[in-house]
Amino acid sequence: MIRGWPGIVLVLLASAAAAWAVRRRLTLTGAGRRFVSTPGTGLAVWMLCALMAAAVAAPLLAPASPIAVLDLGGDQLLAPGWEHPLGTDGFARDVLSRVLYGARTALLVAVVAVVVTSTLGLTVGLVSGLAGGWTDAFLMRGVDAALAVPRLFLVLVVVALWDRPTPLGLALLLGLTGWFAMSRLVRAETLAVRGRDYVAAAVALGAPPARVALRHVRAVHRARP
């Protein structure tokens, strides 16, 4: 297995190739070209690719187990070196191994939370903006009530009452408490395009509400920078 410095160099080279491919793919659309033209975008994309590649390949790159105690007698707080690229901590555990495995957990929590937040925010915002009437009032009053409760306070209370929180459970908690503001933004954009001619034409031609929401209204959200 590739461990230590050779593995790190390999991951950096692979992430550079992935970042180049991502930038090239982004230039195929107008919004992507505007994104990549921003100063520092290339470095940010490369760092994100490097972090994801290192997290995925953690079992192959980690010099040791993240929880293994090497030697309490002489391997505590070692300086970075060839054997331990980031040194060791006060319990003689390899710091690089703990960082790599910790990145896997952090990325899992972030990805799941963003997916849950985006799904709920887009769904509630589209339904509220297109349905109108009592449906819109009911959903938005519920969102207003949720926004009135500080999110950090709510998360801290749930975690305090939770015996043994898991990474997946924490990700779901963050996702389920973070979609309220997004739903309001999506609703506002939906109301702005709901009365346009092409939406009215789709409705007049008999397009079902789901097709109007996903094909016409949501397409405008994706096209906007």
Side-chain angles (χ1 to χ4, degrees):
M1 289 188 293
I2 304 173
R3 294 183 180 274
W5 290 106
I8 295 175
V9 173
L10 183 61
V11 166
L12 293 178
L13 293 177
S15 60
W20 177 82
V22 170
R23 281 179 59 90
R24 186 174 181 180
R25 178 68 178 176
L26 288 174
T27 57
L28 298 178
T29 63
R33 285 191 293 270
R34 288 192 295 271
F35 174 74
V36 298
S37 64
T38 305
T41 300
L43 178 61
V45 172
W46 173 74
M47 292 180 64
L48 180 59
C49 291
L51 177 60
M52 295 179 64
V56 171
L60 303 177
L61 300 178
S65 171
I67 59 175
V69 177
L70 303 176
D71 183 7
L72 288 176
D75 289 339
Q76 294 174 292
L77 301 176
L78 292 179
W82 182 262
E83 187 177 359
H84 304 288
L86 296 183
T88 60
D89 62 6
F91 295 97
R93 297 172 298 190
D94 185 76
V95 175
L96 176 60
S97 302
R98 295 180 65 78
V99 169
L100 291 173
Y101 278 89
R104 302 183 87 186
T105 304
L107 285 176
L108 172 65
V109 172
V111 169
V112 174
V114 169
V115 169
V116 174
T117 297
S118 302
T119 302
L120 291 176
L122 287 172
T123 302
V124 174
L126 283 172
V127 171
S128 179
L130 289 175
W134 285 104
T135 302
D136 181 27
F138 175 77
L139 291 176
M140 286 301 102
R141 296 300 77 76
V143 170
D144 291 340
L147 288 173
V149 181
R151 184 188 181 193
L152 180 59
F153 173 76
L154 179 61
V155 172
L156 289 177
V157 169
V158 173
V159 171
L161 297 176
W162 202 341
D163 226 2
R164 294 182 178 179
T166 62
L168 183 58
L170 182 60
L172 292 175
L173 175 62
L174 294 175
L176 292 173
T177 58
W179 59 271
F180 310 117
M182 177 181 288
S183 67
R184 294 186 65 87
L185 292 175
V186 174
R187 172 183 176 270
E189 291 291 331
T190 302
L191 291 175
V193 302
R194 186 179 65 178
R196 294 187 178 179
D197 293 340
Y198 62 87
V199 177
V203 175
L205 290 173
R211 180 176 177 83
V212 173
L214 298 177
R215 180 70 177 176
H216 300 284
V217 177
R218 188 166 176 263
V220 175
H221 296 319
R222 290 200 306 265
R224 293 198 176 195

